[in-house]
Amino acid sequence: MCWAGRMVLGTFSILLGLVHAAAACEFGPFPYQGTGIVCRMTKPAALLLNQETAQVIQAAFRNAQFPNITGERSMRLLGRVAYGLSDIQVNDLSIERSEVELKEDSAIHISIRNVTALFKGTLTYGYAGAWFLQLFHSVDFEIDSSIDLQLNINLMCQKDQVAPDASDCYLTFHKLTLHLQGDKQPGWLKQLFTDFISFTLKLVLKREVCKEINAVAQTLTSFIIDLAANFVRDKDIAVDISLASDPVIKATYIESHHRGTVLYKNNSSMLSDSVFSPSLLTESRMLYFWLAEHSLSSLAAAAFLDGQLVLNLTGEKLQELFEMEDTEVQRKAVQMIFQGTSYNDSVAKVWSLSKPQISFQPEGTMVRSSVAVEVSILLAGEEPLVALYMEKEITATIQATYADKKLILQPVDSSVVIKVFKCTADPSGEDPSIQSFLQNMILVAGIPEVTSSIGSALTSLLNSKRLDLFDIINPEIITRKGYVIVQLDFGFPSHLLLNILEKGL
């Protein structure tokens, strides 16, 4: 599956397998109508991720638990010959190349060429001769092999989650050579047991390696699903990333559609009129995320209900806000409001009075909110003195960018209407210098300060979900009426996949 901020590791499961779904999910006749989040990974991204499949295949071979192989055969003059191979292990594994192909409405085809591996273990054999002579021997063996591996991965839906089926797995052997006790020269014993065991060994290797590839894929996909669910969860707020329709495979991209509804304290937002269409996304970048306006607006509403839309400013931040310009009007207004008190002995609190209304437009993200501002003077041994209290209606258009592993929110247009005004320095509320100063301060410094603080908080939240581990290249955040598109190229941190495999296996 793909998701956002589930941004990234979600894409890896597309190249890896899971278990075959017992039954398909039911989505109804109009599956897109409930789509809140879409992820599209194009062919260049698949090719990049395919470069890391060598690590997955190596882990599959390395962790495969090969059973003991036994057999017997009647030989003229020698009687019954029995053999057993035990303690089979893999050494010196290498992969020449790996290729991936997206088959239209079918499967992801991964071809691993020339996997060379050295198998080691112990061969025990015995036979009863025609004259009742019994001999039993144990020798170390090595098996040189050269194998091609073919995987056809089908994307399905299981329990409302993407479940790639990688059971279509084939091994083709170009070489399977048995060496006994390090002897590389042909001999009758080597030839005898090579003939006996080669067919059985091929079946065992295929069964165990393909089974282990599924096990590795299970581990990775479980990690991805857990990571994605955690990525879109913060305390009591979560986003439903279950599927809204079946995954799609085209010759040039893979796409998954998710509900994107917001869950908060057992309450869920509803989305039944999504405007998503596959034509809204292109194929020029490696990775795309499409987000419905409903999803982000519901997140903002949940954050409000959870009491997260609160900002406190003290000290230098408070000084920067109130001393944005050095004029006589500013100095007079600040003196009257703070009554000569130091900024270090004051605090400004900003919070939302109602659920913010968010809408996506070509110009950016439009936010409408009723906000309160309270400036308190902290007096030693006394209750704080409220020097200023305002309620205001704010409308702001914000553009979002992501650079240097930081989310940047920049207001490009805004307006403020003050609804309630209380100031100890101006009880009548008729001092034009204070009113003009505060209006200008909110527009020039207040809104940028709030959006900057929200951007920093969101960056910290995203990085706590490990987004900063990924190389995100030239991301673009494009708003349109009713939705936003995030498109980017990325570099894959190979060490992360190794860490996942090591922890999971």
Side-chain angles (χ1 to χ4, degrees):
M1 89 188 259
C2 290
W3 44 77
R6 70 173 172 83
M7 195 181 274
V8 185
L9 278 184
T11 61
F12 307 154
S13 63
I14 296 176
L15 295 181
L16 304 170
L18 264 184
V19 177
H20 190 284
C25 304
E26 296 293 335
F27 296 113
F30 306 106
Y32 288 153
Q33 69 181 8
T35 297
I37 299 174
V38 178
C39 177
R40 173 179 291 187
M41 187 181 74
T42 60
K43 183 68 176 290
L47 294 174
L48 175 65
L49 293 176
N50 183 60
Q51 296 175 9
E52 306 302 326
T53 56
Q55 297 178 44
V56 178
I57 300 304
Q58 288 171 348
F61 273 84
R62 184 174 61 250
N63 291 281
Q65 300 295 316
F66 298 102
N68 294 340
I69 300 173
T70 59
E72 62 177 41
R73 184 175 181 180
S74 296
M75 298 290 295
R76 185 177 300 177
L77 299 178
L78 294 177
R80 183 174 56 85
V81 179
Y83 63 88
L85 279 74
S86 59
D87 301 326
I88 302 174
Q89 299 178 352
V90 182
N91 296 82
D92 302 328
L93 181 71
S94 66
I95 295 175
E96 183 177 286
R97 69 181 186 275
S98 176
E99 300 172 351
V100 64
E101 179 184 359
L102 305 182
K103 296 184 177 180
E104 184 87 13
D105 296 324
S106 176
I108 304 166
H109 177 72
I110 299 178
S111 177
I112 313 293
R113 301 291 186 183
N114 195 18
V115 180
T116 60
L118 181 66
F119 296 88
K120 293 185 177 182
T122 301
L123 169 65
T124 301
Y125 65 94
Y127 56 90
W131 297 278
F132 304 101
L133 175 64
Q134 294 185 352
L135 296 174
F136 300 93
H137 300 275
S138 291
V139 295
D140 292 334
F141 71 85
E142 294 180 351
I143 299 173
D144 286 328
S145 66
S146 178
I147 307 168
D148 285 350
L149 175 63
Q150 306 289 331
L151 290 172
N152 290 304
I153 304 175
N154 296 295
L155 297 185
M156 309 183 72
C157 176
Q158 183 180 28
K159 297 180 180 179
D160 290 333
Q161 301 290 348
V162 172
D165 173 20
S167 60
D168 192 358
C169 172
Y170 297 93
L171 268 64
T172 302
F173 291 84
H174 299 295
K175 182 177 72 171
L176 192 66
T177 306
L178 175 67
H179 304 297
L180 300 179
Q181 293 181 324
D183 181 12
K184 308 299 182 182
Q185 299 302 318
W188 75 269
L189 187 62
K190 171 186 170 183
Q191 184 63 46
L192 173 67
F193 284 104
T194 297
D195 292 342
F196 276 10
I197 69 174
S198 60
F199 178 74
T200 303
L201 183 59
K202 288 178 181 179
L203 290 179
V204 170
L205 292 180
K206 176 189 181 302
R207 182 180 69 243
E208 298 303 321
V209 170
C210 289
K211 182 175 70 175
E212 189 60 32
I213 288 174
N214 266 327
V216 171
Q218 283 276 11
T219 298
L220 287 172
T221 307
S222 296
F223 176 86
I224 291 162
I225 292 173
D226 291 343
L227 180 69
N230 180 59
F231 196 95
V232 291
R233 180 185 295 115
D234 181 38
K235 299 178 182 178
D236 292 328
I237 303 173
V239 177
D240 182 1
I241 57 174
S242 57
L243 289 177
S245 63
D246 286 316
V248 174
I249 301 178
K250 298 295 183 182
T252 53
Y253 66 83
I254 304 167
E255 190 171 274
S256 61
H257 315 101
H258 309 269
R259 291 193 174 98
T261 52
V262 175
L263 311 174
Y264 178 68
K265 292 185 176 180
N266 298 322
N267 295 316
S268 174
S269 60
M270 298 297 293
L271 175 62
S272 59
D273 56 351
S274 174
V275 298
F276 174 74
S277 168
S279 62
L280 297 177
L281 302 180
T282 64
E283 301 168 27
S284 60
R285 304 298 298 274
M286 294 172 67
L287 193 61
Y288 294 82
F289 296 103
W290 183 95
L291 299 144
E293 176 181 290
H294 175 86
S295 296
L296 188 59
S297 182
S298 298
L299 274 175
F304 166 77
L305 294 173
D306 202 47
Q308 296 189 27
L309 302 184
V310 179
L311 176 65
N312 291 307
L313 300 174
T314 59
E316 292 183 0
K317 283 292 184 181
L318 190 59
Q319 183 175 0
E320 291 174 5
L321 184 64
F322 278 87
E323 295 186 3
M324 58 180 180
E325 55 185 20
D326 187 15
T327 64
E328 184 62 30
V329 172
Q330 173 257 309
R331 287 191 292 273
K332 178 183 176 182
V334 169
Q335 179 65 28
M336 292 176 66
I337 293 171
F338 288 91
Q339 303 176 32
T341 305
S342 167
Y343 290 111
N344 292 325
D345 296 324
S346 305
V347 60
K349 180 182 177 182
V350 183
W351 71 96
S352 289
L353 294 169
S354 60
K355 300 176 184 178
Q357 302 298 312
I358 293 178
S359 63
F360 292 135
Q361 304 293 335
E363 299 79 16
T365 302
M366 183 174 291
V367 182
R368 295 184 178 90
S369 183
S370 178
V371 177
V373 177
E374 183 180 270
V375 177
S376 298
I377 299 174
L378 308 178
L379 303 174
E382 300 182 22
E383 290 293 323
L385 172 65
V386 178
L388 175 67
Y389 177 81
M390 289 189 300
E391 294 180 7
K392 53 196 177 179
E393 296 291 334
I394 295 179
T395 301
T397 300
I398 300 172
Q399 292 182 351
T401 56
Y402 187 87
D404 299 324
K405 300 186 182 297
K406 295 179 181 179
L407 179 64
I408 303 168
L409 303 180
Q410 181 65 44
V412 294
D413 184 32
S414 55
S415 63
V416 175
V417 177
I418 296 177
K419 297 292 186 178
V420 176
F421 178 84
K422 298 177 182 180
C423 181
T424 56
D426 181 21
S428 64
E430 297 178 355
D431 190 318
S433 63
I434 292 181
Q435 293 277 344
S436 175
F437 164 71
L438 291 174
Q439 187 87 1
N440 191 42
M441 179 203 71
I442 293 168
L443 289 172
V444 176
I447 294 176
E449 176 61 34
V450 170
T451 54
S452 175
S453 298
I454 293 174
S456 297
L458 290 174
T459 297
S460 298
L461 179 61
L462 293 174
N463 289 342
S464 72
K465 308 297 185 180
R466 306 175 73 176
L467 180 63
D468 56 335
L469 297 179
F470 297 90
D471 297 324
I472 299 175
I473 303 170
N474 298 327
E476 296 179 85
I477 302 175
I478 302 170
T479 53
R480 294 290 183 262
K481 186 174 178 57
Y483 63 89
V484 63
I485 296 173
V486 180
Q487 56 189 36
L488 55 97
D489 298 321
F490 65 90
F492 183 75
S494 58
H495 67 279
L496 190 59
L497 181 56
L498 285 173
N499 291 340
I500 297 170
L501 291 174
E502 289 172 358
K503 292 179 180 178
L505 300 176

